[in-house]
Amino acid sequence: MSLIQPFRAYRPKAELAARVASVPYDVVSTAEARQLAKGNPYSFLHVCRPEIDLPEGVDEHADGVYATGAANLKKLIADGILAREAEDSLYIYQQRMGEHVQAGVVALCSVREYEENRIKKHELTRRDKEDDRTRHICEQNANAEPVFLTYRAQAEIDDIVDGVRASAPLYDFTLADGVAHTIWRIADRAMMGRLIELFGGIEALYIADGHHRTASAVRYGQGCRARNPQTTGLEPYEFFMAVVFPHNQLKIFDYNRIVKDLNGLTPDEFLAKIGEKFEVSSAEKRQPSHAASFGMYLQGKWYALKARAGSYPAEDPIKRLDVSILQDNLLSPVLGIHDPRTDKRIDFVGGIRGMNELERRVEEGYAVAFSLYPTSLDQLIDVADAGEIMPPKSTWFEPKLRSGLLVRLYE
């Protein structure tokens, strides 16, 4: 079963929704967040990236940063920018990016189901990032930003969601990046009850995006539970806010790699080394068109890399992923990057930024860039169902959820 619950959201006035809505905290740097929020006191970046309201160079983990985020959230509520819903509700959140449309149910999901692996993860998390977001939750007493979950699509849930989308929305706006955001509130109690019942028949939910937000909400709940010997399992801290999408509506982009140096090799030596496991050729196309192939930008030139037959175990759900093939056959043995989660010589570029971004980063100082074929949703679910963990930075989902449109306080 998958337990979902309605909640009383704090949400912006309709005329301010587009100004409040912000990108998630983890897709922009502090400098980018400052620029995006410049001149906009309503931007939710003041809550999820509060260092932007402090002097440049401030430590993102300083006490004052967390206190500022909590104060900014309280101010948005005190000033009436965010108002509390009159009653518990479920919501539908739709995003449109070009021809792509996805619509999910916004609800509270269960900490215990995460602990029992019925909300399944496919990535490891970093303790320092967990610590950071857990501190924000504690200071703000809120799930300020939703987690992005998915489930195997179910026809009757689709029908209910489509019915809601035929009604008038709370918000409907398009932002500068061209992505349209639309939110509906489900007011019908019977409809909410049926959705809750239907999700009760869903075997598992899967974290698509937001592993650190999920782990932090779980840590917060566990801490509260430990201090409450009379826990019932239904306390507010036993749940966290999420948007839950059917798997067949989601779009995964490539998640590309850039590396600062060639590990002491000359370009010719590097090309010779990678030729042992890959067929290497000059390329006009910058992105691979099928799995087990890669683009590589080196010294102002694009190459195509095709994994040689037998260079990876094709039956292994982890080792056959493109991110694993690149890691196991090139990044680790040739470039000496054995742990991409911690090695400072490697960085990651979401596919939404395009191939020009890879070229720019190399031209500005990185030695080499690799473009990858996107991981599929079926691969993600297969890995999670097997209880395995994907290599870091395997998936980049777009469009990203906007923060601030629905906020949940632990009340």
Side-chain angles (χ1 to χ4, degrees):
M1 64 171 288
S2 295
L3 177 62
I4 66 168
Q5 283 193 348
F7 66 106
R8 290 180 67 183
Y10 285 83
R11 57 183 183 85
K13 299 175 181 178
E15 65 271 20
L16 293 177
R19 295 189 66 189
V20 171
S22 81
V23 295
Y25 83 95
D26 54 350
V27 302
V28 289
S29 66
T30 298
E32 290 170 327
R34 284 184 193 275
Q35 189 61 36
L36 287 171
K38 187 177 181 180
N40 181 8
Y42 305 131
S43 172
F44 208 71
L45 286 168
H46 296 288
V47 175
C48 62
R49 276 287 197 174
E51 70 271 16
I52 66 176
D53 293 327
L54 298 173
E56 290 191 23
V58 67
D59 182 354
E60 293 178 25
H61 306 114
D63 291 345
V65 172
Y66 299 105
T68 299
N72 287 344
L73 178 58
K74 288 179 180 177
K75 188 175 190 306
L76 288 175
I77 294 171
D79 291 349
I81 308 305
L82 298 179
R84 194 182 187 201
E85 199 74 75
E87 57 187 359
D88 286 350
S89 303
L90 297 175
Y91 301 85
I92 304 300
Y93 184 179
Q94 174 189 286
Q95 298 169 292
R96 181 185 296 275
M97 185 176 68
E99 297 300 313
H100 176 76
V101 179
Q102 59 191 40
V105 177
V106 189
L108 300 186
C109 295
S110 168
V111 167
R112 291 184 184 272
E113 289 188 354
Y114 177 91
E115 294 171 325
E116 295 164 0
N117 199 36
R118 284 184 285 149
I119 297 177
K120 300 185 179 186
K121 54 185 177 291
H122 65 267
E123 289 184 4
L124 295 174
T125 55
R126 285 172 43 183
R127 186 70 180 192
D128 59 334
K129 293 185 70 174
E130 278 190 36
D131 290 345
D132 173 59
R133 287 300 118 179
T134 303
R135 178 81 182 273
H136 278 294
I137 292 173
C138 292
E139 295 278 347
Q140 296 173 6
N141 195 41
N143 294 140
E145 299 183 280
V147 173
F148 189 149
L149 303 181
T150 188
Y151 63 95
R152 294 189 185 274
Q154 209 258 31
E156 189 174 349
I157 295 177
D158 289 346
D159 290 342
I160 293 174
V161 171
D162 289 344
V164 174
R165 290 195 290 169
S167 64
L170 296 174
Y171 312 125
D172 184 15
F173 57 87
T174 301
L175 295 172
D177 59 3
V179 178
H181 302 263
T182 312
I183 291 182
W184 294 262
R185 183 173 78 88
I186 299 178
D188 185 282
R189 312 311 291 180
M191 186 182 293
M192 279 199 289
R194 183 57 180 155
L195 273 176
I196 292 168
E197 182 181 3
L198 288 169
F199 271 98
I202 299 290
E203 183 176 345
L205 304 178
Y206 302 85
I207 302 172
D209 203 5
H211 282 78
H212 288 94
R213 272 167 278 168
T214 310
S216 300
V218 169
R219 278 179 56 184
Y220 175 82
Q222 291 169 336
C224 293
R225 186 192 302 156
R227 295 189 294 273
N228 181 11
Q230 305 301 321
T231 184
T232 66
L234 297 176
E235 290 81 5
Y237 55 74
E238 294 286 358
F239 298 88
F240 59 91
M241 181 176 60
V243 188
V244 193
F245 291 92
H247 82 286
N248 57 5
Q249 292 184 16
L250 299 185
K251 185 175 181 64
I252 301 180
F253 281 73
D254 41 305
Y255 213 157
N256 303 309
R257 275 76 170 134
I258 52 176
V259 180
K260 289 184 176 179
D261 60 69
L262 297 183
N263 198 29
L265 300 171
T266 67
D268 287 342
E269 290 170 338
F270 174 63
L271 288 168
K273 281 272 190 184
I274 62 177
E276 297 172 8
K277 293 292 181 73
F278 298 88
E279 298 173 17
V280 183
S281 60
S282 298
E284 293 184 4
K285 289 184 63 177
R286 301 184 292 180
Q287 289 178 281
S289 57
H290 54 83
S293 61
F294 308 85
M296 182 177 73
Y297 188 63
L298 175 71
Q299 289 193 310
K301 181 179 178 181
W302 280 95
Y303 296 84
L305 311 183
K306 181 181 178 182
R308 294 187 183 278
S311 63
Y312 63 93
E315 303 304 315
D316 188 304
I318 301 295
K319 296 297 184 181
R320 70 185 179 205
L321 295 172
D322 282 29
V323 289
S324 295
I325 295 171
L326 186 68
Q327 176 63 37
D328 295 343
N329 291 335
L330 197 160
L331 296 179
S332 180
V334 179
L335 292 178
I337 297 171
H338 306 300
D339 185 356
R341 295 175 66 235
T342 59
D343 198 312
K344 302 301 183 184
R345 295 168 54 228
I346 189 170
D347 200 1
F348 307 90
V349 180
I352 193 67
R353 294 181 180 263
M355 297 297 100
N356 288 343
E357 178 69 6
L358 295 183
E359 293 183 4
R360 184 185 71 82
R361 297 290 292 273
V362 170
E363 288 160 5
E364 291 183 355
Y366 277 78
V368 63
F370 301 95
S371 58
L372 282 75
Y373 191 74
T375 302
S376 73
L377 245 301
D378 287 332
Q379 286 177 317
L380 182 154
I381 290 176
D382 286 346
V383 168
D385 282 342
E388 300 285 353
I389 296 296
M390 280 185 164
K393 308 298 184 183
S394 296
T395 56
W396 180 279
F397 285 88
E398 286 286 346
K400 297 292 186 184
L401 301 176
R402 287 284 166 155
S403 300
L405 295 174
L406 297 167
V407 179
R408 183 274 181 121
L409 267 63
Y410 288 99
E411 295 177 317

